[in-house]
Amino acid sequence: MSYPPHSDERDDPEANGLLPPSQQDVLPRGEEGLDEDEERDLIRRYEDFSTVDWIQDSLHERTEHSKAPTNPLVARLDQVDGVFGYVWRMLRRGLEEGESWVVITLVGILIGISAGLISIITAWLSDIKMGYCTTGWWLSQKFCCLEIADEGEGCTEWRNWGGVEPFRWIAYILFAAMFSFSAAYLVRCFAPYAAGSGISEIKCILGGFIIKGFLSVETFLIKGLTLPLAIASGLSVGKEGPSVHVACSIGNVVARMFSRYDRSHLKMREIVTAASAAGVAVAFGSPIGGVLFSIEEMNQTFSNRTMWRSFVCALVATFTLSSMDPFRTGKLVLFQVAYDRDWHYFEIPAYVLIGIFGGLYGAFVIKFNLQVAAFRRKHLSSHGVAEAVVLATITATVGYLNRFLRIDMTESLSLLFRECEGGGDHKGLCQTSAQWRMVNSLLLATIVRTGLIVVSYGCKVPAGIFIPSMAVGATFGRMIGILVKALHTSYPEAPWFATCAPDAPCITPGTYAFLGAAAALGGVTRITVTVVVIMFELTGALTYILPTMIVLLVTKAVSDQFGGGGIADQMIRLNGYPFLEKEDKEDATDHAFIEPIANVMKKDIIIMEATGVPLQHIAEIVQSTNFQGFPVVKSEEDRTIIGFVRKHELRYALEKARRTRNLSPNAICTFQAITPLPGLDDGVSSGNASDKFLQRPDIVFPGTGTKRTGSVSRPPMSPSMRRESGVEVEEVDFGQYVDETPLTVSPKMPLEIVMQLFRRMGPRVILVANQGQLVGLVTVKDVLRHEVVSEHQKHLRSTSNNSHSIPNSGLPTSASAGVNGNDLGHSRVDSNGWETSWEAVEADQGGHGLEIALEEGLAWARSGVNRFWNVGLQGWRGFTGGGGGGRGREVFEYELNEDRTNN
């Protein structure tokens, strides 16, 4: 099962309950004994690629919470007075509250176990590319050579592949290609949602977007299996982002075992949010950083209850991982270090330089990775396996030649973060005689890995960007640290070095690598507080909090000059997901946010007339449209808003009416019988505690002796007896299913206020009314579409002064282009698609130089392959006696022409 809740029914006429009773079963086999509420929950499902109405989900949660227990024994015990009754009620309440903590604890334990297994398998696969252990093939190099004091040195038990260097290089490349092929093939065949990072989609899921199967058991198993293969292949991708996806899948799978969470979006959102915090916690060994990540990046509606559950889940997951001790170091992550040397004020200019690099790096990677993603979507969507193998082969071929690209990125971070005095002199990294050689290697590693990240992130394997970005920042920062240290060595008497002690090391290059990693991570994700806390928990040194804050402040200032948000937000926009960013990311000076909602709303909508609609017409609308609800008005002439009826409620009402009565083929459905508040219809307040809540809606059959309002008194007849009575019902009223209080705004309401309503209250749709008359409606996708159109028009206006010929980017040129429902995209026009259809959009990044270059390179490669094939075929035919070169060419061209003619 996947989050959000859904049934196994498909969107076909039988599942929708729109066919006559003779052509469908009333309930699935084995479900005849369900009560009315459980039966309604089966019908109440969520469409794939639609959004959740958080208001209705909250009301549903309140209704479920206020229901009396179905077990007669429990209901009887709840009515017992005295000490025994009080103790029973307290015990029952404690068990209900304790269930959530049991779920959270179980999720945390499983996340910690999975993270430990992934770390162990990844380390073994990464080392198997270089060689094997003679004492046990299942041992990595570190465990095979535990008695060696200096890490990185070989031992007699460890054998390298081939023995001599060229064969080692070939084995390294072959293993990388094999690992990447295995990962991409498994993802393509069994769980396509396991590709990529997953953070963008999880943010949308937490915001209420339905993506069935994204957090399923299959996705969890395949992503957990292929993630070590993708990392070990050497691709410039990380495991931290996919670890969050794996953790959220575990939270979803475990919570679905409990019916209390399986039917509630609100509770499932709490579990998935807590699981995302635990995923970051085990990835970085930072439980507090994981909680802050879920607050700052993942969930926009973060409550204190969610924060506490995220904290507990992260704590349990981290404790479980620490108990497993996958690295046999007593530490949570491989690159956990501790700095005991203070920093100096003269190092601040170097910190500022590192911060500037982090901002520029993030802007560069985001801009060009989006262009690569657009190219990949156009030309490589069906060649994911081949693309992963080619990228892994290129990465292994190039990376083997550089000492910092050859080893695993996590191990590289561990080496670059170390102090020189603590055993950190890895192959001359701290030697003064080799400092310029190291600077060249670090600079080359920074440039090459940046390019590899741009082309690798987003390929069809589990791929994150956190650790690769940190690796780039660490190599750049270590290079800056070596240069500053060389400056101090050359000019020790300079006045700015006066604070250095003469008999102790002054510059620690490892701290520059640490700050560079923080800057690059902050630049690509555009988060600040979380990065500071994560880096603090990694080092355990309070003295470097201030330098980290300075670096990230500069990074944030530089990144804000380019705008657009982090890589996750940009991927959301590229894919066209209905997700509203936080309010602080909006431009208050943008006129698109202050124009009236009348310019954004949909006017061509389907309505339900309260006075009467043919029942068959309603069935056709429910079956043939993708709308998730319909406004109810008095009549076609008088569009006074009565309320809003949702599609799943209407579908349930249709099924129940046909199951309980013989409906005439020409029956009329009205929406007029509205349930009054209990105790207010006769002016007397009821003293029954159950009457404090609205009664469950029911169907009214006028003219059959049933009351139109209040509670319905029906004889104890089974549905089959009612159906066999032979009396056809000519009129049925579904008014009790109408939501009388939908959110309504004026056409003059600014778009900014409407966006705040969507963010804070989470409705699926907002009606637009002028003096009580319905004039349109607006959804989240309408708002996002308008935002994309406004940005596109702004870009066209900004470039019109520089060019008289503006290429068409495929985006709509006015807000009215989306009236008929082409969601954010440009290749699909569907009048029914305001809730269940979505299309990816082209990111408007100004120039698309890299995308054009890739397209030209692809065309050149194709022509080269064709030319090589033709030359080889001609040579083969000449060798086998098929004629001379000219005749072979003529025969070949004749065959091509003949094939074209036959086709």
Side-chain angles (χ1 to χ4, degrees), residues 469-776:
S469 297
M470 292 178 66
V472 170
T475 53
F476 180 82
R478 186 77 183 206
M479 181 188 69
I480 298 297
I482 293 176
L483 294 177
V484 174
K485 184 178 181 180
L487 184 64
H488 172 260
T489 304
S490 302
Y491 305 97
E493 303 299 331
W496 47 83
F497 294 133
T499 56
C500 294
D503 55 347
C506 183
I507 307 299
T508 306
T511 60
Y512 289 81
F514 159 76
L515 296 175
L521 180 59
V524 78
T525 59
R526 306 290 173 88
I527 55 180
T528 53
V529 179
T530 301
V531 176
V532 172
V533 174
I534 287 177
M535 302 308 292
F536 159 68
E537 290 186 278
L538 287 177
T539 60
L542 289 171
T543 54
Y544 278 87
I545 287 184
L546 185 58
T548 306
M549 295 177 65
I550 292 174
V551 168
L552 287 173
L553 178 63
V554 176
T555 300
K556 179 66 174 176
V558 175
S559 300
D560 288 343
Q561 302 303 315
F562 299 93
I567 187 69
D569 296 328
Q570 294 290 348
M571 284 298 174
I572 289 175
R573 298 185 62 186
L574 182 69
N575 293 323
Y577 296 144
F579 180 79
L580 288 175
E581 297 180 354
K582 296 182 179 180
E583 297 180 26
D584 55 359
K585 295 184 179 181
E586 294 179 0
D587 186 4
T589 62
D590 193 348
H591 295 285
F593 293 102
I594 61 177
E595 63 177 298
I597 196 63
N599 298 341
V600 182
M601 69 180 184
K602 272 187 173 60
K603 302 177 183 178
D604 184 14
I605 57 179
I606 297 177
I607 61 173
M608 294 291 173
E609 301 178 41
T611 55
V613 182
L615 193 65
Q616 188 62 31
H617 181 56
I618 293 180
E620 292 175 358
I621 292 176
V622 173
Q623 177 179 348
S624 60
T625 65
N626 290 330
F627 294 134
Q628 297 299 299
F630 311 94
V632 179
V633 298
K634 286 187 175 181
S635 63
E636 182 66 31
E637 295 76 18
D638 184 7
R639 290 204 168 195
T640 302
I641 296 178
I642 301 298
F644 190 83
V645 60
R646 285 161 182 81
K647 182 179 181 180
H648 68 266
E649 299 275 2
L650 201 55
R651 181 185 296 141
Y652 169 77
L654 287 170
E655 290 193 358
K656 184 176 181 182
R658 282 175 170 158
R659 192 167 62 247
T660 57
R661 290 292 193 275
N662 286 326
L663 298 180
S664 171
N666 300 321
I668 300 297
C669 175
T670 60
F671 299 88
Q672 294 179 339
I674 307 298
T675 304
L677 286 173
L680 297 183
D681 53 344
D682 55 0
V684 180
S685 177
S686 175
N688 192 354
S690 62
D691 290 340
K692 295 180 182 179
F693 304 97
L694 289 177
Q695 298 178 4
R696 299 288 297 196
D698 204 348
I699 303 171
V700 177
F701 298 93
T704 61
T706 305
K707 297 180 181 179
R708 291 182 60 87
T709 60
S711 59
V712 180
S713 176
R714 290 181 297 233
M717 297 175 61
S718 65
S720 60
M721 294 174 61
R722 298 186 192 128
R723 289 181 51 81
E724 294 173 359
S725 62
V727 178
E728 288 190 346
V729 178
E730 298 291 340
E731 182 180 352
V732 58
D733 191 279
F734 292 158
Q736 314 237 17
Y737 290 90
V738 176
D739 179 12
E740 302 175 71
T741 57
L743 278 181
T744 308
V745 297
S746 169
K748 299 180 181 179
M749 182 71 68
L751 176 60
E752 181 182 7
I753 305 301
V754 177
M755 294 177 68
Q756 292 180 11
L757 290 176
F758 277 117
R759 288 193 190 94
R760 299 176 183 180
M761 302 191 68
R764 174 176 281 168
V765 60
I766 297 178
L767 302 182
V768 183
N770 185 18
Q771 297 181 353
Q773 299 289 314
L774 178 69
V775 295

Side-chain angles (χ1 to χ4, degrees), residues 40 63 94 138 312 348 527 533 543 630:
R40 192 166 178 235
T63 303
W138 59 88
V312 172
I348 291 181
I527 55 180
V533 174
T543 54
F630 311 94

Side-chain angles (χ1 to χ4, degrees), residues 399-418:
Y400 189 86
L401 303 177
N402 186 280
R403 69 188 71 192
F404 300 107
L405 298 177
R406 183 187 310 171
I407 58 179
D408 180 69
M409 284 181 288
T410 306
E411 184 179 357
S412 175
L413 287 171
S414 176
L415 296 174
L416 295 173
F417 283 177
R418 292 180 184 176

Side-chain angles (χ1 to χ4, degrees), residues 246-482:
V246 170
C248 292
S249 299
I250 293 175
N252 173 73
V253 172
V254 172
R256 293 220 166 269
M257 300 178 183
F258 300 83
S259 60
R260 184 181 178 187
Y261 292 91
D262 191 36
R263 295 182 178 181
S264 174
H265 275 275
L266 292 174
K267 294 186 179 301
M268 284 299 301
R269 181 162 66 172
E270 292 179 359
I271 298 298
V272 175
T273 303
S276 67
V280 175
V282 296
F284 290 102
S286 174
I288 304 300
V291 176
L292 289 178
F293 179 83
S294 62
I295 295 176
E296 187 175 2
E297 180 70 7
M298 300 301 294
N299 198 337
Q300 294 188 1
T301 56
F302 211 90
S303 62
N304 289 333
R305 181 175 60 182
T306 305
M307 182 183 67
W308 276 110
R309 291 179 178 176
S310 300
F311 177 79
V312 172
C313 190
L315 176 63
V316 172
T318 308
F319 178 79
T320 304
L321 181 63
S322 177
S323 301
M324 293 183 64
D325 194 13
F327 303 109
R328 295 298 185 268
T329 59
K331 300 177 181 179
L332 295 176
V333 292
L334 185 60
F335 48 85
Q336 187 173 8
V337 294
Y339 298 120
D340 54 1
R341 193 175 302 145
D342 204 351
W343 60 281
H344 306 85
Y345 285 98
F346 65 81
E347 297 178 279
I348 291 181
Y351 298 160
V352 172
L353 179 61
I354 293 175
I356 294 174
F357 167 79
L360 296 177
Y361 163 80
F364 177 86
V365 170
I366 292 173
K367 177 181 178 64
F368 290 105
N369 182 257
L370 291 179
Q371 297 184 21
V372 172
F375 171 81
R376 179 180 290 117
R377 190 168 61 194
K378 290 180 182 178
H379 305 284
L380 303 177
S381 58
S382 59
H383 305 286
V385 177
E387 178 196 3
V389 173
V390 170
L391 287 175
T393 303
I394 294 175
T395 303
T397 304
V398 177
Y400 189 86
L401 303 177
N402 186 280
R403 69 188 71 192
F404 300 107
L405 298 177
R406 183 187 310 171
I407 58 179
D408 180 69
M409 284 181 288
T410 306
E411 184 179 357
S412 175
L413 287 171
S414 176
L415 296 174
L416 295 173
F417 283 177
R418 292 180 184 176
E419 297 181 357
C420 291
E421 292 75 18
D425 188 13
H426 175 70
K427 297 182 178 180
L429 184 61
C430 297
Q431 295 179 6
T432 305
S433 58
Q435 60 185 5
W436 300 115
R437 180 162 48 90
M438 289 298 168
V439 167
N440 293 333
S441 297
L442 291 169
L443 179 61
L444 184 62
T446 301
I447 297 174
V448 173
R449 195 181 293 279
T450 300
L452 293 176
I453 290 173
V454 168
V455 299
S456 299
Y457 181 70
C459 62
K460 300 304 181 181
V461 296
I465 201 172
F466 289 177
I467 287 297
S469 297
M470 292 178 66
V472 170
T475 53
F476 180 82
R478 186 77 183 206
M479 181 188 69
I480 298 297
I482 293 176

